[in-house]
Amino acid sequence: MITVALPKGALLKDSIRLLQAIGLDFSAFLEVGNRQLQITDPTNTARALLVRNSDVSVYVEYGQAQLGVVGYDVLREKSANVAQLVDLGFGQCRMSVAVKASSPYRSSLELPLNGRVASKFVRCAHDYFQSLDLPVEIIPLYGSVELGPITGMSEAIVDLVATGNTLRENGLIEIDVLFQSTARLIAHPLSYRLDTDGLYNCVEQIRKQVSQPVAT
Amino acid sequence: MITVALPKGALLKDSIRLLQAIGLDFSAFLEVGNRQLQITDPTNTARALLVRNSDVSVYVEYGQAQLGVVGYDVLREKSANVAQLVDLGFGQCRMSVAVKASSPYRSSLELPLNGRVASKFVRCAHDYFQSLDLPVEIIPLYGSVELGPITGMSEAIVDLVATGNTLRENGLIEIDVLFQSTARLIAHPLSYRLDTDGLYNCVEQIRKQVSQPVAT
């Protein structure tokens, strides 16, 4: 039986809708007050695990799930050893550099040498500033990254931006985009190669639903 | 003006009650629907930042807050460069090793060589198993760590236990305790040494409220 790791939060509804379209019903996860973390679909053909967005790739990498749905931002940050198969199109957002609107900086290259950048995405931020050859100190934060520039702890942040409302509410503006992100279908590489439990067919059905090429 | 970093979540209420006892009122953070992340107390003598539990030590380490309240578990995990001043007594819990109740393991040393341990507290788990001279693979997870043993991904977990209800609900049992944890008052080391903005007096007032020695 195939196991699919599904992400809690913003990507869950669309992930479940997509799997329903290929005949797998995990909508019990969406019921108010749901406390289950693993369920089997009513036709008894697949199982789903409900995990944190940032844990999906761990379950797939270790083979505890053969398939998973996860944001490209998380894949980039964790550089997990998983097969990235289909760009699912939903969950659009971008990884951006933002600064205080009142600051003089209007591009990453204008940031001061050895300045500070707060981010939940430490690896993405590090790789980006290294590619610019701009030495900065990355400050790892887990929440409310926008407090970095507001309190003066950092000149900039690297964070996910969807609507831009959080930035605006906090007096910040985007000055550069590192990359665009969407939800991706990932698979355990060996299971996919060996076509365990009809995995290949399942992926093809999802690919047809999405009917668009893999983007990276 | 002194800035205090306060942790969202379980420790917030007791932290605010403690500061009220020394005349600083940040209860606005507790109002339903509060979206403010920084407020000044009504007497205009101190400011508070509302941040994630795991970010408190970052704000204090970088001097954006001179004081902070944070769980000892986070201090151990992050080994932040901050001065640990007072054991505040509240927020009691313990860092424990747990396994499936149906497993044969009844102590950490009975776990299989090169077994897997899932944890949010990667450093604590690593240090503990190293001190036992037991080689294990630590699997970093961000949420629902109990799914590790349930799905068979790991033999054990290292996680915080307060009441033990989550373990019981998931058919897990504690087999060892790494350490006990409570909330701690921390300070920016240089600010404390230089007694910036009357920091020393403020700490002494808190110490009197708690009236118990520093525990580590």
Side-chain angles (χ1 to χ4, degrees):
Chain A
M1 190 187 291
I2 292 175
T3 301
V4 191
L6 296 177
K8 290 179 183 179
L11 302 180
L12 184 61
K13 225 168 160 177
D14 283 325
S15 304
I16 286 176
R17 191 188 40 72
L18 177 69
L19 292 171
Q20 277 176 324
I22 65 159
L24 299 174
D25 182 13
F26 299 115
S27 56
F29 280 152
L30 294 174
E31 281 164 19
V32 180
N34 168 61
R35 292 198 62 175
Q36 293 182 93
L37 297 176
Q38 52 179 342
I39 51 177
T40 304
D41 117 283
T43 65
N44 234 355
T45 51
R47 206 166 60 116
L49 301 176
L50 184 60
V51 302
R52 287 276 287 264
N53 198 13
S54 44
D55 289 343
V56 167
S57 62
V58 178
Y59 284 91
V60 174
E61 187 169 355
Y62 281 91
Q64 238 54 41
Q66 289 76 48
L67 285 180
V69 175
V70 64
Y72 178 63
D73 54 301
V74 175
L75 286 181
R76 277 280 287 252
E77 179 62 20
K78 302 194 71 124
S79 63
N81 183 21
V82 295
Q84 200 190 127
L85 299 175
V86 187
D87 182 341
L88 301 174
F90 58 82
Q92 289 187 345
C93 54
R94 53 194 183 274
M95 188 71 76
S96 295
V97 181
V99 296
K100 274 173 105 160
S102 60
S103 79
Y105 316 117
R106 287 302 173 265
S107 90
S108 301
L109 283 170
E110 292 173 13
L111 287 170
L113 291 180
N114 303 307
R116 288 172 175 175
V117 178
S119 188
K120 288 176 229 174
F121 299 88
V122 172
R123 188 197 297 247
C124 292
H126 171 267
D127 292 354
Y128 175 69
F129 284 98
Q130 193 166 57
S131 77
L132 295 181
D133 247 338
L134 185 71
V136 297
E137 182 178 7
I138 311 291
I139 302 180
L141 287 182
Y142 288 84
S144 306
V145 177
E146 57 277 11
L147 263 180
I150 291 173
T151 60
M153 185 164 64
S154 74
E155 276 83 17
I157 62 173
V158 166
D159 207 11
L160 275 187
V161 181
T163 61
N165 284 340
T166 306
L167 292 184
R168 268 189 297 280
E169 281 174 13
N170 288 287
L172 303 179
I173 51 163
E174 264 177 288
I175 57 170
D176 273 312
V177 175
L178 279 65
F179 56 82
Q180 302 288 332
S181 177
T182 47
R184 304 293 161 102
L185 181 72
I186 60 172
H188 181 243
L190 191 63
S191 300
Y192 186 63
R193 220 184 140 107
L194 298 179
D195 193 15
T196 311
D197 295 324
L199 189 57
Y200 192 80
N201 177 44
C202 182
V203 171
E204 282 314 297
Q205 284 186 64
I206 293 174
R207 207 189 290 278
K208 267 180 211 152
Q209 286 299 326
V210 178
S211 66
Q212 65 181 46
V214 179
T216 47
Chain B
M1 190 187 291
I2 292 177
T3 301
V4 191
L6 297 177
K8 292 181 182 178
L11 302 179
L12 185 60
K13 225 167 159 175
D14 282 325
S15 304
I16 286 176
R17 190 188 40 75
L18 176 70
L19 293 170
Q20 277 175 324
I22 66 159
L24 299 173
D25 182 14
F26 299 116
S27 56
F29 280 151
L30 294 175
E31 282 165 18
V32 179
N34 167 61
R35 292 198 60 176
Q36 293 182 93
L37 297 177
Q38 52 180 342
I39 52 177
T40 304
D41 118 282
T43 65
N44 234 357
T45 50
R47 206 166 59 115
L49 301 176
L50 184 61
V51 302
R52 287 277 287 264
N53 198 14
S54 44
D55 289 342
V56 167
S57 62
V58 178
Y59 283 91
V60 174
E61 186 169 356
Y62 282 90
Q64 239 55 39
Q66 290 76 48
L67 286 179
V69 175
V70 64
Y72 178 62
D73 54 301
V74 176
L75 286 181
R76 278 280 285 254
E77 180 63 22
K78 303 194 71 126
S79 62
N81 184 21
V82 295
Q84 200 189 127
L85 299 175
V86 186
D87 182 340
L88 301 174
F90 57 82
Q92 288 188 346
C93 54
R94 53 194 183 272
M95 189 71 76
S96 296
V97 182
V99 296
K100 274 172 103 161
S102 59
S103 80
Y105 316 117
R106 287 301 172 267
S107 90
S108 301
L109 283 171
E110 294 174 12
L111 288 170
L113 291 179
N114 302 306
R116 289 171 175 173
V117 177
S119 189
K120 289 176 227 172
F121 299 88
V122 172
R123 189 196 297 246
C124 293
H126 171 267
D127 291 355
Y128 175 68
F129 284 97
Q130 194 165 58
S131 77
L132 295 182
D133 245 338
L134 185 72
V136 296
E137 183 178 6
I138 311 292
I139 303 181
L141 288 181
Y142 287 84
S144 305
V145 178
E146 57 277 11
L147 263 181
I150 291 173
T151 61
M153 185 163 65
S154 72
E155 277 82 18
I157 63 173
V158 166
D159 207 12
L160 274 187
V161 181
T163 61
N165 284 340
T166 306
L167 292 184
R168 268 189 297 279
E169 282 174 10
N170 288 287
L172 303 179
I173 52 163
E174 264 178 287
I175 57 170
D176 273 313
V177 174
L178 279 65
F179 55 82
Q180 302 287 331
S181 177
T182 46
R184 305 293 161 101
L185 182 72
I186 59 172
H188 182 242
L190 190 62
S191 300
Y192 186 63
R193 220 183 139 106
L194 298 178
D195 194 15
T196 312
D197 294 325
L199 189 57
Y200 192 80
N201 178 46
C202 182
V203 171
E204 283 313 298
Q205 283 186 65
I206 292 175
R207 208 189 290 276
K208 266 180 214 154
Q209 286 298 326
V210 178
S211 64
Q212 64 180 49
V214 178
T216 48

